[in-house]
């Protein structure tokens, strides 16, 4: 439940941020190099590597693959805001606004 609430808040903030910073014509051109979370903390170095791999797939436009990898990382560190944020941004790019299963 807590993760769903945090995830929804992250999506909302990302949407608001993107709408404030982009015109509607530029909406689909969001890219992972535009925003960076400073002082990213990962408890497990493997999770950081997994997150970085997913980001690389997202940068190449392979967002479905990136989503799968982000979700794998989130299973290991379910309270990691960096991963949640990346999932939200990746979902926004794909126009997938509801990931609840």
């Amino acid at each position: 439940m807590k993760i769903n609430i945090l995830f929804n808040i992250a999506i909302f903030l990302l949407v608001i941020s993107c709408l404030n910073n982009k015109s509607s014509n530029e909406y689909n051109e969001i890219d992972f190099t535009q925003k960076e979370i400073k002082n990213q903390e990962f408890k497990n170095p493997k999770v950081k590597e997994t997150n970085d791999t997913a980001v690389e797939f997202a940068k190449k436009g392979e967002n479905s693959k990136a989503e799968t990898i982000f979700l794998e990382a989130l299973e290991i560190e379910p309270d990691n805001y960096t991963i949640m944020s990346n999932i939200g941004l990746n979902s926004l790019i794909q126009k997938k606004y509801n990931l609840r299963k």
Side-chain angles (χ1 to χ4, degrees), residues 46-64:
K46 176 76 172 144
V47 174
K48 179 179 180 353
E49 181 181 316
T50 303
N51 179 73
D52 292 347
T53 299
V55 168
E56 291 305 313
F57 277 108
K59 285 180 179 178
K60 292 188 268 184
E62 298 181 43
N63 299 96
S64 293

Side-chain angles (χ1 to χ4, degrees), residues 4-101:
N4 285 338
I5 292 169
L6 293 173
F7 180 75
N8 288 334
I9 291 170
I11 292 277
F12 174 76
L13 293 174
L14 284 169
V15 169
I16 296 299
S17 174
C18 290
L19 292 175
N20 286 337
N21 294 325
K22 296 201 168 282
S23 71
S24 60
N25 292 339
E26 297 173 316
Y27 186 71
N28 292 327
E29 296 176 13
I30 300 166
D31 113 34
F32 275 82
T33 59
Q34 292 178 339
K35 304 265 183 194
E36 183 178 328
I37 297 174
K38 303 290 182 192
N39 301 320
Q40 300 179 57
E41 291 189 27
F42 293 88
K43 297 172 190 164
N44 181 333
K46 176 76 172 144
V47 174
K48 179 179 180 353
E49 181 181 316
T50 303
N51 179 73
D52 292 347
T53 299
V55 168
E56 291 305 313
F57 277 108
K59 285 180 179 178
K60 292 188 268 184
E62 298 181 43
N63 299 96
S64 293
K65 177 86 171 162
E67 178 182 320
T68 301
I69 297 170
F70 282 133
L71 291 173
E72 289 172 8
L74 191 63
E75 283 183 26
I76 300 168
E77 285 190 26
D79 294 329
N80 188 304
Y81 296 111
T82 299
I83 299 167
M84 288 183 219
S85 177
N86 287 339
I87 290 170
L89 183 56
N90 192 59
S91 299
L92 183 65
I93 291 167
Q94 296 180 85
K95 296 184 178 182
K96 291 175 84 175
Y97 304 115
N98 188 354
L99 285 178
R100 293 182 191 164
K101 295 182 179 182

